[in-house]
Amino acid sequence: MAEDTVKPERPGGFLDFLPPDYLAREKMLKTIEKVFRSFGFDPIETPRLEFLKTLAGETSDTGKNIFHIKSTHDDEPLAMPFDHTVPFARILAANPYNTRTKAGIRLPWRRMVVGPVFRSDTPQSGRYRQFYQFDADIAGASSMLADAEIVAIMFLTMEALGVKQFKIRLNNRKILNGLAKLANIADREEVSTDDITKEMMRILDKLDKIGLDKVLAELQAEPETALDAAPALSGDAIEKIRAFLNLKGNNEEKLSLCRTVFEGVSIAQEGIDELGQILEYVAGMGIPSEPLEIDFSIARGLDYYTGPVMETVLLDAPEFGSVFSGGRYNNLVSRFTGKELPATGASIGVDRLFAALSHLEAIDRSEETVAEVMVLRIEKDRDADYLRIATDLRSVGINTEISLADDTTFKKQFNFAISRGVKFVIICGGNEFEKGTIQVKNLQTRKQEEIPRDELMKYFK
């Protein structure tokens, strides 16, 4: 290899999408978008760069997984967004509605956004450093009607994608906050109750991965340092949590039993009421109850969730984890405004969902090109005529490419058209030009027709 050549490799954790994968994923995204738009979610786009302080705050630990960007033109450090939610909060804070000028964002507001996000993680199988997310969020609505809409679009999206076996698991962070009270979590000398509770949530969120016994063992483990937020729960608290996580029955029965467990714990009772409302509203939208499951182990890893949390898992591909998850996050905008703004939403991990559906053989990669027709160049010195044929077809909305092969023999061009995956081939040689006709070959049915040149556009339209 010559010294000045460059090895054609990409960084770990980043993906290429060649046409069959790109077109299949594009079709999936359009299906998702159609569901979101049916509920009135407005599309927006945010930059691929934000100020670092916008994404992580001044001291946030989230900064460990953020791609930092060096710039000689900005005084403030820049970074690449790790999700679409923080830019959404920034937009809301920067565009309050002005009743006098009628400018800004009028609340409540449904918004959707799709695009790449970036996380500076260690590349692993199924764990990418650039990946697509498709978000739907509702800002300015405190009613559980908004959360019920998010659950509904979860169901309808899976249905539209042809997924049969899936579960939408629901919980409420208020119930888990009540669990902290039930477990008698309290401040330690150098660690707050809030930090210990967050650590408990993080451990509970590992239940599917490591199992109940290991989760309970972690909850009982003693802190290694004075700053360690390990819950270090007592044996009595561990038994209460075990009983709570083992609540059985249908959704209504689970909520009823949960009320008994948290008798006198007002924050938990509020969370139980909210879940009951969501189930009622979702049923009102005609969503069947079978895919919905109250699961008190669902905590969601991000610590900004303040109410209902939800996640969608594929029952035939559980190893892919949650593919569509979210919840209520009333505090996020307060970083910018100092005030609470109710908001709820969910995000599809597009690449994870695409990989899961591929695993289930539910992705159609048969489309290899956007071109529907290829015009073969049979006669020398008639390229202007072939270009005119292609132009006429494009004028009626048919994606058409003209053969650019150096070898203009019929066999070479025809075989190339087949390999490209086009559906039709236009053949026009000396005889056709003389008669004013065109041969149209359907490569799917193998049927070939000769039609008048002036009826070509009508034939395809």
Side-chain angles (χ1 to χ4, degrees):
M1 182 179 289
E3 290 184 6
D4 57 350
T5 60
V6 178
K7 190 175 180 180
E9 58 184 356
R10 64 171 187 259
F14 295 86
L15 299 174
D16 292 320
F17 286 89
L18 294 178
D21 278 334
Y22 185 95
L23 294 172
R25 189 177 69 157
E26 182 182 60
K27 183 179 179 182
M28 185 180 86
L29 291 174
K30 287 180 178 178
T31 300
I32 296 167
E33 182 177 351
K34 186 176 180 181
V35 174
F36 289 8
R37 283 179 181 246
S38 73
F39 279 74
F41 285 81
D42 295 324
I44 66 166
E45 183 174 313
T46 55
R48 297 294 176 260
L49 292 179
E50 298 274 0
F51 287 122
L52 177 60
K53 65 181 181 182
T54 299
L55 298 178
E58 297 299 331
T59 59
S60 172
D61 287 339
T62 312
K64 295 175 183 176
N65 293 327
I66 291 179
F67 273 107
H68 295 226
I69 302 296
K70 290 183 179 180
S71 171
T72 57
H73 304 289
D74 298 274
D75 294 331
E76 289 283 352
L78 301 176
M80 303 175 81
F82 56 86
D83 69 7
H84 294 305
T85 311
V86 178
F88 176 49
R90 174 186 57 75
I91 280 183
L92 288 167
N95 296 277
Y97 185 71
N98 186 310
T99 54
R100 182 178 60 82
T101 63
K102 301 191 184 312
I105 296 170
R106 193 162 197 164
L107 300 175
W109 181 44
R110 297 171 177 84
R111 88 85 171 87
M112 66 178 182
V113 63
V114 60
V117 294
F118 307 86
R119 297 190 187 178
S120 185
D121 288 332
T122 303
Q124 301 173 28
S125 177
R127 193 176 186 90
Y128 310 115
R129 293 194 287 174
Q130 175 184 319
F131 52 97
Y132 260 63
Q133 285 189 334
F134 205 146
D135 287 23
D137 294 86
I138 304 173
S142 56
S143 167
M144 290 298 107
L145 283 168
D147 303 79
E149 275 199 5
I150 299 300
V151 175
I153 66 170
M154 284 179 158
F155 172 84
L156 293 171
T157 298
M158 292 298 109
E159 185 179 60
L161 291 171
V163 180
K164 304 297 183 185
Q165 299 294 319
F166 65 93
K167 280 285 183 188
I168 301 172
R169 296 172 176 164
L170 306 172
N171 196 10
N172 198 310
R173 291 299 292 265
K174 293 178 180 179
I175 297 174
L176 296 176
N177 288 337
L179 191 62
K181 291 183 179 295
L182 205 64
N184 292 318
I185 289 177
D187 289 344
R188 296 200 289 263
E189 283 189 14
E190 298 187 50
V191 187
S192 69
T193 299
D194 189 45
D195 286 339
I196 298 171
T197 300
K198 286 178 181 178
E199 178 63 11
M200 184 180 79
M201 304 291 189
R202 187 189 68 79
I203 295 170
L204 286 173
D205 207 29
K206 295 160 65 176
L207 189 63
D208 277 348
K209 295 177 182 176
I210 65 175
L212 179 59
D213 289 340
K214 289 184 179 179
V215 162
L216 295 178
E218 284 196 28
L219 290 173
Q220 205 165 8
E222 293 294 325
E224 296 180 2
T225 68
L227 296 175
D228 189 347
L233 300 184
S234 67
D236 180 59
I238 289 293
E239 289 312 307
K240 288 179 180 178
I241 291 176
R242 185 192 297 275
F244 166 70
L245 293 176
N246 280 326
L247 291 178
K248 306 295 183 186
N250 60 34
N251 290 333
E252 288 72 22
E253 290 166 344
K254 285 180 181 176
L255 291 180
S256 178
L257 291 169
C258 198
R259 285 191 188 284
T260 303
V261 168
F262 288 101
E263 188 174 356
V265 182
S266 59
I267 187 69
Q269 296 291 344
E270 189 178 318
I272 296 166
D273 288 342
E274 288 177 353
L275 288 180
Q277 289 173 27
I278 290 172
L279 292 178
E280 179 185 346
Y281 295 148
V282 169
M285 286 183 270
I287 305 300
S289 60
E290 291 78 19
L292 309 180
E293 179 186 349
I294 300 294
D295 186 338
F296 296 121
S297 71
I298 302 301
R300 300 303 309 151
L302 296 172
D303 60 18
Y304 55 64
Y305 289 121
T306 59
V309 288
M310 55 210 74
E311 63 180 37
T312 307
V313 293
L314 307 184
L315 299 181
D316 294 330
E319 65 271 26
F320 287 90
S322 173
V323 295
F324 195 170
S325 59
R328 180 165 283 274
Y329 51 99
N330 289 351
N331 294 330
L332 197 62
V333 179
S334 63
R335 281 188 51 222
F336 302 100
T337 64
K339 301 176 183 177
E340 272 199 9
L341 176 69
T344 186
S347 175
I348 297 177
V350 173
D351 297 314
R352 180 183 293 186
L353 178 57
F354 188 79
L357 295 180
S358 296
H359 172 75
L360 296 175
E361 299 182 350
I363 293 292
D364 179 9
R365 288 181 172 82
S366 61
E367 194 173 357
E368 299 178 63
T369 174
V370 297
E372 300 164 276
V373 176
M374 182 179 287
V375 179
L376 306 189
R377 293 162 48 234
I378 308 299
E379 291 291 310
K380 293 180 179 180
D381 303 323
R382 301 302 295 258
D383 284 347
D385 294 301
Y386 293 127
L387 287 169
R388 200 168 296 115
I389 291 170
T391 300
D392 287 345
L393 287 171
R394 293 184 196 118
S395 73
V396 292
I398 306 299
N399 297 341
T400 305
E401 66 177 65
I402 187 170
S403 170
L404 297 176
D406 291 332
D407 185 341
T408 58
T409 60
F410 174 80
K411 183 178 180 181
K412 284 286 187 181
Q413 292 185 87
F414 187 74
N415 287 339
F416 182 72
I418 293 174
S419 69
R420 281 284 288 146
V422 297
K423 299 177 178 66
F424 296 89
V425 166
I426 299 296
I427 305 164
C428 194
N431 290 336
E432 286 80 19
F433 278 120
E434 191 175 318
K435 293 187 293 181
T437 61
I438 281 179
Q439 300 279 351
V440 180
K441 175 88 171 177
N442 186 324
L443 295 181
Q444 294 174 312
T445 65
R446 300 297 177 181
K447 182 180 179 181
Q448 184 165 323
E449 297 179 72
E450 185 171 4
I451 60 174
R453 166 70 178 87
D454 57 8
E455 291 186 13
L456 178 65
M457 289 184 287
K458 180 181 177 183
Y459 175 89
F460 278 101
K461 194 174 183 180

